[in-house]
Amino acid sequence: MTEQGTSVLAVTFAPDNSGPIFELASLFGDVDPPKVSLNVIQCATPELRTKVGAFVDRHSTYAPHLFRLRKLLTDMPDGEFFLLIPHALTASAEQYQYERVLHQLNHPQDQPLAQHAQIFDELLERYDLCLPRTDKRFDIGNSRKADRVCRFCGGTTAKKAKFDKEAHAMPAALGNKYLKLADECDECNQYFGDEIEPTLVELLNIQRVFLGIEARGGLPTVEFSGGKMFRAPGEEKLIVVASNKISQDASGVLTAQLGSEKPVIPQIFYRALAKIALSVIPTEELSALTETARWVRYGQDGDQPLPKIATAVVMLPPEPSAQISLYIRKEPHASLPHVVCEFRLGCYLYVYALPFSKKDETSLIGFFENKDFKDTFRHYGFVPSWNQQDYSSKEAILMTQNIKIHPRNP
């Protein structure tokens, strides 16, 4: 574990050739065959880089992925601490504890993270985190087509389902290049691409242009009935707003009326966000979410209202792709949602609960204002303003888009 993240390195040699294993272990601890004792706390030094480099040169022919180990050390500055953890971290709370130790080692000038612990400790006691990476290729689900079960319709190859198309866990139009879902059949993939995901993209079009989210190698141009928005060619920071109706008030504020987009159905926006969550959630949680998957795929939920989606603008570091984070409850609870989802596109944040989970004991209506929720998800209390929006409606509406441009203060 480094400050840049956690990497897993698997090294395998033949049983009759244990020498390289002991040699590798000796770089990071004490070896008295057959006993191996690894030091959890490590430090990147020129001496360690030299030893690791020599080891990689000797054995990379048989284990080429050892180059990852050398690159990891090469990319770290001298004196930076990292942790060597000899087992997989399965609980978010355990990972969080290691991260706190690592931060304190590399930033001894910082005060102890007591406030940080006060904010997050209760959350990590009650919830595990699922934070899929979007900066490199990651395939979710079964690599073999014969083993795949579609997360949304239950289709398999034995049931004549096909898994030939590449399915994105999040729409490519939101910048996602690398996060893929193997367990999504071609029929569901076609349905989501035609009927569900376009609504999500439509309602985020202005944000896509504003943030410069690239999709399939290009920046978006969004057209409305009365104008359009796009990034000026060759001027990546210049946003062009073209409108038939532009007015200016006495204070210098410009208003561009862009008109309406295509009709959208609010509930489909919620289903699109829920589809992203179901695409990345660990497989073992899916059995409790069969009704959620059916609703996402077929929209069959009667007329019951959905919990509101809380939205906010938060000044977080920009990302080239949309991000999804899931909080998955560990133990039963009377009022806390089974799965809380946090979808982010740049500075735009959407917090919602997955509806219809078998692990939810009561209605999730109003969960965001529940005292237990506020006491658990304390970090949301630091956001100055939340806007809770109801996306239960199945009736199509026209969204009228206006852009206000305020003059910069001298």
Side-chain angles (χ1 to χ4, degrees):
M1 177 184 288
T2 72
E3 293 217 279
Q4 283 68 49
T6 302
S7 298
V8 178
L9 180 67
V11 183
T12 304
F13 290 89
D16 59 348
N17 188 18
S18 59
I21 294 293
F22 290 128
E23 184 183 351
L24 176 61
S26 68
L27 301 176
F28 301 101
D30 299 321
V31 174
D32 184 13
K35 183 179 179 181
V36 173
S37 178
L38 298 177
N39 298 322
V40 173
I41 298 176
Q42 302 283 336
C43 185
T45 63
E47 180 184 11
L48 180 60
R49 288 194 195 91
T50 299
K51 290 181 178 179
V52 169
F55 175 83
V56 172
D57 289 339
R58 286 193 294 274
H59 301 289
S60 58
T61 301
Y62 309 102
H65 53 291
L66 285 172
F67 285 115
R68 289 172 48 209
L69 177 61
R70 181 158 67 186
K71 186 177 187 307
L72 185 146
L73 283 169
T74 301
D75 291 345
M76 295 173 64
D78 285 345
E80 180 173 314
F81 288 95
F82 63 99
L83 303 181
L84 192 66
I85 306 168
H87 63 275
L89 299 177
T90 57
S92 301
E94 184 183 19
Q95 178 162 335
Y96 175 61
Q97 294 296 336
Y98 277 116
E99 288 173 350
R100 286 169 61 182
V101 170
L102 185 59
H103 180 88
Q104 207 65 53
L105 287 168
N106 285 313
H107 306 278
Q109 72 280 6
D110 289 358
Q111 294 297 319
L113 302 179
Q115 184 180 10
H116 204 260
Q118 184 180 11
I119 296 171
F120 291 103
D121 275 2
E122 186 167 352
L123 172 61
L124 292 172
E125 283 183 13
R126 291 179 168 178
Y127 283 85
D128 274 327
L129 271 64
C130 174
L131 307 169
R133 294 181 63 170
T134 58
D135 59 342
K136 63 179 182 179
R137 177 81 186 214
F138 185 68
D139 294 322
I140 301 169
N142 291 288
S143 58
R144 294 180 68 249
K145 291 183 181 180
D147 297 332
R148 293 176 184 173
V149 179
C150 180
R151 293 189 169 203
F152 305 99
C153 71
T156 64
T157 54
K159 298 177 182 178
K160 308 302 181 183
K162 294 183 179 180
F163 295 88
D164 297 329
K165 297 180 181 178
E166 186 176 68
H168 288 72
M170 289 189 291
L174 301 182
N176 175 36
K177 298 179 182 178
Y178 304 118
L179 193 58
K180 314 291 184 178
L181 175 60
D183 295 336
E184 180 179 320
C185 73
D186 293 352
E187 186 174 340
C188 287
N189 178 268
Q190 186 73 37
Y191 172 76
F192 291 133
D194 292 344
E195 304 294 337
I196 300 297
E197 292 172 349
T199 295
L200 178 66
V201 175
E202 290 280 352
L203 290 180
L204 296 174
N205 267 335
I206 288 180
Q207 291 91 326
R208 292 170 59 223
V209 177
F210 176 72
L211 296 166
I213 299 295
E214 289 192 17
R216 306 189 188 280
L219 294 171
T221 295
V222 181
E223 297 190 3
F224 305 87
S225 61
K228 63 181 179 179
M229 287 182 65
F230 59 93
R231 292 258 173 166
E235 299 286 345
E236 294 184 357
K237 294 184 178 180
L238 180 61
I239 300 173
V240 177
V241 179
S243 171
N244 297 326
K245 295 181 180 180
I246 298 179
S247 59
Q248 184 176 22
D249 64 17
S251 63
V253 175
L254 291 172
T255 300
Q257 300 180 36
L258 296 175
S260 59
E261 295 181 283
K262 301 174 185 176
V264 296
I265 298 174
Q267 188 175 123
I268 291 182
F269 180 80
Y270 204 140
R271 287 168 63 192
L273 288 177
K275 188 268 177 185
I276 294 174
L278 289 177
S279 295
V280 304
I281 201 166
T283 305
E284 59 267 23
E285 299 295 333
L286 292 173
S287 61
L289 297 165
T290 53
E291 293 298 319
T292 312
R294 185 176 293 111
W295 169 69
V296 167
R297 178 61 175 87
Y298 304 105
Q300 298 171 347
D301 71 310
D303 294 320
Q304 56 184 303
L306 297 168
K308 292 182 179 179
I309 298 175
T311 66
V313 176
V314 182
M315 292 300 108
L316 295 169
E319 297 281 355
S321 168
Q323 306 291 313
I324 183 70
S325 304
L326 304 184
Y327 301 88
I328 304 168
R329 200 183 63 222
K330 300 177 184 179
E331 303 292 339
H333 193 281
S335 60
L336 288 175
H338 170 208
V339 184
V340 176
C341 314
E342 184 179 299
F343 174 82
R344 178 166 76 92
L345 187 67
C347 57
Y348 301 95
L349 197 65
Y350 300 79
V351 176
Y352 55 102
L354 280 185
F356 315 123
S357 170
K358 296 175 184 176
K359 291 187 178 181
D360 285 327
E361 301 177 15
T362 57
S363 168
L364 299 179
I365 303 301
F367 79 92
F368 201 79
E369 297 300 327
N370 180 278
K371 183 179 184 303
D372 285 336
F373 182 86
K374 289 184 174 182
D375 289 343
T376 303
F377 290 81
R378 295 180 182 178
H379 58 296
Y380 291 148
F382 290 89
V383 177
S385 177
W386 287 98
N387 180 22
Q388 296 190 52
Q389 300 175 345
D390 188 349
Y391 286 89
S392 299
S393 176
K394 298 179 182 179
E395 300 297 324
I397 59 173
L398 280 175
M399 299 289 292
T400 301
Q401 306 283 10
N402 296 324
I403 299 291
K404 287 185 179 290
I405 305 174
H406 294 259
R408 179 179 295 174
N409 293 327

